[in-house]
Amino acid sequence: MTEFAVRNAAELSAAINAARSGDTIRLSQGDYGDYMIKSKAFAGAGVTIASADPDRPAVFHSLNVYKSSGFTFVDVDVCRTPDA
């Protein structure tokens, strides 16, 4: 099991591409914008994406998981910004 430390959306994409089932991706506090996970499937234990510090969570404007499976999200905020 590998644990990835991520600081931004580009590093998150790289970590998801490198991850294997059972791995954890820890997100530093910050704004990850609008993010999409597309066509990624993990069997078994799957991949956990979690804020490194639950008291200072990572924030997404939107989070779209499309044609993907095997993800668990822990202590992340998705704060959709309303359109005008």
Side-chain angles (χ1 to χ4, degrees):
M1 290 188 216
T2 301
E3 193 162 302
F4 298 88
V6 169
R7 296 175 304 199
N8 56 50
E11 289 182 6
L12 175 56
S13 294
I16 289 171
N17 287 331
R20 302 286 180 251
S21 186
D23 290 349
T24 299
I25 299 171
R26 300 256 178 222
L27 306 174
S28 295
Q29 176 188 16
D31 185 346
Y32 289 78
D34 296 308
Y35 195 82
M36 176 183 276
I37 298 171
K38 184 176 179 182
S39 301
K40 293 288 182 182
F42 296 96
V47 171
T48 299
I49 297 176
S51 289
D53 181 351
D55 293 327
R56 298 178 354 186
V59 177
F60 293 89
H61 293 261
S62 64
L63 179 59
N64 188 351
V65 181
Y66 180 73
K67 291 187 177 182
S68 299
S69 62
F71 288 94
T72 300
F73 296 91
V74 179
D75 294 323
V76 297
D77 285 345
V78 180
C79 301
R80 182 159 175 88
T81 304
D83 294 334

